[in-house]
Amino acid sequence: MLARKAFYGRVVSAPHLQIMTAKEYIISTLEALAEPVQMEDIGRTPPEDKIIQLITTKKFRKYSLDPERLEQIKSAVSINVNKNEPIKFTVPFGGYKLWRLSETPEPDWAELFTMVYYTKWIKPICEIYKPGVWFDFFSDDAVIKRMNNIPPEDTQAYRETFKKLLKFIKPYQPENLDMTYNRVGDRYENQKAFDDELDRRIVETKAEFNGGFPPLDESWKKMVELNVNTTPEQTKDPEWREKVFLVHEAYGKMSQRRPYYRTPEKIMVVTTPLGGSLCVGTTKDSIAKFWCGGGALKVNNDSFRQLVLTPSQLENAKFGWENVKLEGLKGKNFSKIRILN
């Protein structure tokens, strides 16, 4: 295999100076995504068993599955197969771009790479199961203003660009794969109805702690500090982290959130480890949350590897930028991409 050198964001193969650009790599990745999967003959294996095997394959799964979660996956597959309906997956996620990133407020390559990765994962199911797959991104953006101080216009910009990404990748996906975007907020009559219930849940949650706040360990404190764009008044309050976490815990009890995806026929997917969940990360090499990370390519022999990097990883990484412009790919973050050497 030819050695590679990077010059000002372009990757050069020695000794013949064969150049592969990031644009060429991304196009080839999308074209490969559109190709049919060469599936082995499953013989007498029941399709249901093969589907479960494909869902839980170690090729994509980042962590072990506990017995309870495995049984839930088996049950969900059985329910959908018996009804001749699509296999249903849901990814609960923030629905915003972390304010610390220069890419904010819109999605970037991290979101697109995640969509590519998930498509590769579930594509074989679509090949052997005619009803296909419903893969749903379920957004928490309705609570983000109150919890993280992110303005609604920013979450709206994220939402609009995310939907455009789904349309962009659709032609490269199996016809029987339906990748969608839905919101917790849209399950309420309006934002006021959402806020009214959230206020009630905050009161209920605070009562559970005798009028105080949930205790926070260091890991949760760091998570709060990472996500919240604090106001000057907020930082003067020594309990601001606990107050934010109270909203977080109250939000988890909203009537239209967990009942949407914690249902017998749906399989919940997470990007980072969460007890009792199916964790598949965001790319082959990343588990960072796509809405809290930035997308990048890393030189890998005569190709690249796709990465989603956390703010701290980005801070410590050495990279250049390469211009990329793909027809049909809209958004302020898709004219260039980071190249790690």
Side-chain angles (χ1 to χ4, degrees), residues 142 183-196:
R183 303 174 63 240
V184 176
D186 288 341
R187 297 181 59 78
Y188 290 82
E189 183 179 353
N190 49 44
Q191 185 68 36
K192 183 180 184 304
F194 173 90
D195 289 334
D196 287 347

Side-chain angles (χ1 to χ4, degrees), residues 2 13 17 38 49 79-80 108 116 118 134 154 203 227 233 255-256 275 279 292 299-301 315 317 329 331:
L2 297 177
S13 298
L17 298 180
Q38 298 300 317
D49 292 349
I79 290 170
N80 290 309
D108 80 321
V116 169
Y118 289 165
W134 174 28
D154 282 7
V203 172
N227 282 278
E233 295 77 15
S255 63
Q256 299 302 313
C279 178
C292 293
V299 175
N300 180 46
N301 295 320
E315 201 173 298
L329 184 57

Side-chain angles (χ1 to χ4, degrees), residues 137-276:
F137 293 92
F138 193 45
S139 169
D140 289 323
D141 65 348
V143 76
I144 296 305
K145 181 179 185 298
R146 290 191 57 178
M147 195 161 63
N148 294 357
N149 299 328
I150 306 300
E153 52 267 30
D154 282 7
T155 51
Q156 181 179 351
Y158 183 92
R159 177 166 65 251
E160 290 173 353
T161 308
F162 194 96
K163 289 180 177 179
K164 289 177 182 177
L165 279 182
L166 290 177
K167 289 182 179 179
F168 171 79
I169 198 173
K170 180 63 179 174
Y172 303 99
Q173 296 175 323
E175 290 185 1
N176 57 349
L177 167 58
D178 189 18
M179 196 169 268
T180 60
Y181 174 97
N182 282 291
R183 303 174 63 240
V184 176
D186 288 341
R187 297 181 59 78
Y188 290 82
E189 183 179 353
N190 49 44
Q191 185 68 36
K192 183 180 184 304
F194 173 90
D195 289 334
D196 287 347
E197 183 182 341
L198 181 59
D199 288 337
R200 295 195 303 271
R201 299 293 180 181
I202 290 172
V203 172
E204 292 171 5
T205 305
K206 196 167 185 178
E208 294 173 7
F209 296 94
N210 299 317
F213 300 106
L216 277 180
D217 60 24
E218 286 304 312
S219 63
W220 273 112
K221 284 182 180 179
K222 289 180 180 178
M223 185 64 70
V224 171
E225 291 167 358
L226 173 73
N227 282 278
V228 179
N229 189 6
T230 52
T231 65
E233 295 77 15
Q234 198 171 22
T235 54
K236 294 175 184 177
D237 183 352
E239 293 182 312
W240 76 265
R241 298 169 187 82
E242 286 77 8
K243 290 179 179 178
V244 169
F245 193 66
L246 176 67
V247 177
H248 176 277
E249 294 297 279
Y251 175 66
K253 300 174 183 177
M254 296 287 281
S255 63
Q256 299 302 313
R257 186 175 183 263
R258 285 175 64 92
Y260 177 85
Y261 61 86
R262 290 281 193 180
T263 59
E265 76 279 7
K266 291 183 179 180
I267 299 166
M268 186 178 79
V269 178
V270 295
T271 64
T272 54
L274 181 66

Side-chain angles (χ1 to χ4, degrees), residues 96-111:
Y96 64 99
K97 199 67 171 179
L98 186 66
W99 61 275
R100 294 180 179 277
L101 299 168
S102 61
E103 287 81 358
T104 193
E106 296 183 10
D108 80 321
W109 298 101
E111 280 79 0

